[in-house]
Amino acid sequence: MSFNNIVGNENVKAFLDKTISENHILHSYLFSGIDGIGKTIFAREFARKLLCLEKEEEENCLSCQKYHNHNHPDFYEIKPENNSIKIEQIRQMQEKILEKPITSKRKVYIIIDSDTMTKEAQNCLLKTLEEPPEYATIILTTANESKLLNTIKSRCMKVSFEPIEKIKIEEYLKNQMQIELKEELISKSEGSIDKAIKLQEEKEIYEKVDELIEKIGKQDKIAALKQAKILYEQKEKILEILEYMNVVLYHTKEKEKWNCIQYVEQTKKRLLASSNYDMCIDYLIMNMWEEINEKYSRRSI
Ligand SMILES: [Zn+2]
């Protein structure tokens, strides 16, 4: 594998390759960009290259072999456990990072979804970012940069990831996964391959959501609530579905439907505050129905 096998973000590829070829390696990087555009894949490939002992001779390289066998002693990944990265995980890392590398000349840590670190964990990590061992490189990935402390961000070199061009997503899905995605779904993927794949898998759900939004202005309240059945059924996925609704509502370019985005946002908050699930959805549909149908009632006056 090399960066060339990863789709999109050519600038990032060039930058990371240059970093390695000129040996300008820093102690901390922040890979920032929306979910599903390959930040973690880039981080892993960058890590492999940083650890490599032979410069691209992957087969003869002890480090690359260990890396690919998932038993490299100088490589670690830290991920959220139950949705957050806890201070204990960072403390463990801090103890480990002080031990010198074994196989490679460097040690690399990737902190995936670093914005899920608790405040305590972030403050704790700060100590390592301020005084990292000279052989250590820490790569943080995030899709929500605003949730990271400024003091953390200021100590990392930021690498920005751009959404992937539609044509590249289309090619990738077709060639690598034998998936032919409708143009419309590719537009809704917002430049994220993961999202495009998910959209395909969940096409049926999302088609029902499309239908709900399309028909809500053309039915009475009871029919609208019936049409919203999919929302009542998909409790597990509801936050993703609501995000998707926002995208669809936004793309309609109709004022009344744009106004509905506020109700979707309200619903997200209510659900996160663990209000009664069915009631939250009832409110959402009623509010949307009223917002959209006001247009028609005004018209009929
Ligand atoms: Zn190697």
Side-chain angles (χ1 to χ4, degrees):
M1 180 130 175
S2 83
F3 288 129
N4 296 332
N5 298 338
I6 312 176
V7 67
N9 283 288
E10 305 303 325
N11 292 345
V12 174
K13 280 176 202 172
F15 168 74
L16 295 179
D17 273 334
K18 199 165 166 242
T19 298
I20 291 172
S21 64
E22 292 180 357
N23 207 21
H24 273 260
I25 299 151
L26 302 178
H27 289 295
S28 39
Y29 294 88
L30 177 64
F31 284 14
S32 177
I34 59 164
D35 276 328
I37 47 176
K39 298 185 298 292
T40 310
I41 301 175
F42 268 88
R44 287 178 181 150
E45 181 55 14
F46 186 45
R48 183 194 65 75
K49 289 188 176 209
L50 290 174
L51 295 167
C52 180
L53 296 164
E54 302 280 342
K55 305 246 171 201
E56 294 310 316
E57 295 284 323
E58 287 193 35
E59 283 118 62
N60 308 320
C61 174
L62 181 66
S63 171
C64 287
Q65 275 173 20
K66 287 190 176 176
Y67 179 87
H68 290 303
N69 291 331
H70 303 287
N71 59 3
H72 201 301
D74 307 318
F75 174 71
Y76 299 86
E77 281 186 5
I78 298 168
K79 292 176 201 164
E81 288 172 7
N82 293 325
N83 300 323
S84 68
I85 297 174
K86 320 273 186 304
I87 188 165
E88 292 75 24
Q89 291 171 271
I90 301 297
R91 282 201 182 122
Q92 260 179 20
M93 162 196 170
Q94 282 171 327
E95 266 174 46
K96 273 283 192 187
I97 208 169
L98 296 174
E99 297 167 11
K100 294 227 160 75
I102 299 168
T103 300
S104 297
K105 292 187 184 113
R106 311 192 63 84
K107 273 182 113 157
V108 182
Y109 286 79
I110 302 179
I111 306 183
I112 296 173
D113 292 333
S114 60
D115 50 273
T116 64
M117 277 189 286
T118 61
K119 275 264 151 60
E120 295 76 31
Q122 293 197 36
N123 276 313
C124 185
L125 177 68
L126 212 48
K127 283 178 235 150
T128 308
L129 296 179
E130 278 163 0
E131 287 174 15
E134 39 92 23
Y135 48 77
T137 294
I138 303 169
I139 306 166
L140 287 78
T141 75
T142 181
N144 296 297
E145 212 186 296
S146 63
K147 290 191 185 151
L148 285 169
L149 296 176
N150 285 332
T151 39
I152 290 210
K153 285 187 269 187
S154 66
R155 281 179 177 80
C156 298
M157 160 98 212
K158 183 174 158 182
V159 181
S160 297
F161 285 72
E162 300 298 328
I164 301 163
E165 295 157 60
K166 283 183 206 165
I167 179 85
K168 287 201 171 151
I169 294 189
E170 209 174 337
E171 275 170 20
Y172 180 86
L173 293 178
K174 210 162 156 187
N175 301 333
Q176 309 285 326
M177 312 196 66
Q178 285 78 50
I179 295 177
E180 294 249 7
L181 211 57
K182 270 206 234 156
E183 162 89 54
E184 203 189 318
L185 284 184
I186 292 180
S187 303
K188 285 174 189 162
S189 70
E190 296 180 305
S192 159
I193 287 189
D194 279 0
K195 211 165 185 178
I197 294 170
K198 225 183 219 170
L199 284 171
Q200 170 69 17
E201 285 169 357
E202 295 169 351
K203 212 168 137 216
E204 218 174 295
I205 299 176
Y206 290 104
E207 274 172 3
K208 286 185 183 161
V209 175
D210 286 342
E211 210 182 332
L212 168 71
I213 292 173
E214 206 228 303
K215 290 193 178 161
I216 196 160
K218 300 169 189 160
Q219 336 171 276
D220 62 33
K221 241 184 218 177
I222 305 294
L225 283 167
K226 258 192 198 158
Q227 184 100 56
K229 190 164 162 252
I230 190 74
L231 301 186
Y232 295 95
E233 285 170 355
Q234 294 293 332
K235 200 169 173 176
E236 300 271 295
K237 290 205 172 101
I238 191 67
L239 289 175
E240 280 166 52
I241 293 175
L242 293 175
E243 276 304 331
Y244 174 79
M245 280 179 77
N246 274 345
V247 175
V248 179
L249 288 166
Y250 181 78
H251 280 285
T252 60
K253 300 198 169 73
E254 291 171 39
K255 194 175 142 261
E256 289 75 15
K257 288 188 177 167
W258 278 4
N259 288 343
C260 289
I261 292 175
Q262 59 176 314
Y263 301 120
V264 177
E265 287 301 312
Q266 256 174 28
T267 309
K268 280 202 277 186
K269 275 188 204 138
R270 283 190 182 136
L271 288 171
L272 290 171
S274 50
S275 307
N276 179 296
Y277 184 82
D278 284 1
M279 247 159 76
C280 289
I281 305 297
D282 289 346
Y283 275 133
L284 171 66
I285 301 304
M286 304 283 216
N287 283 329
M288 283 180 63
W289 188 88
E290 272 158 25
E291 182 70 42
I292 291 165
N293 284 281
E294 218 180 298
K295 169 173 116 177
Y296 295 101
S297 51
R298 267 202 309 269
R299 217 184 253 163
S300 59
I301 292 169

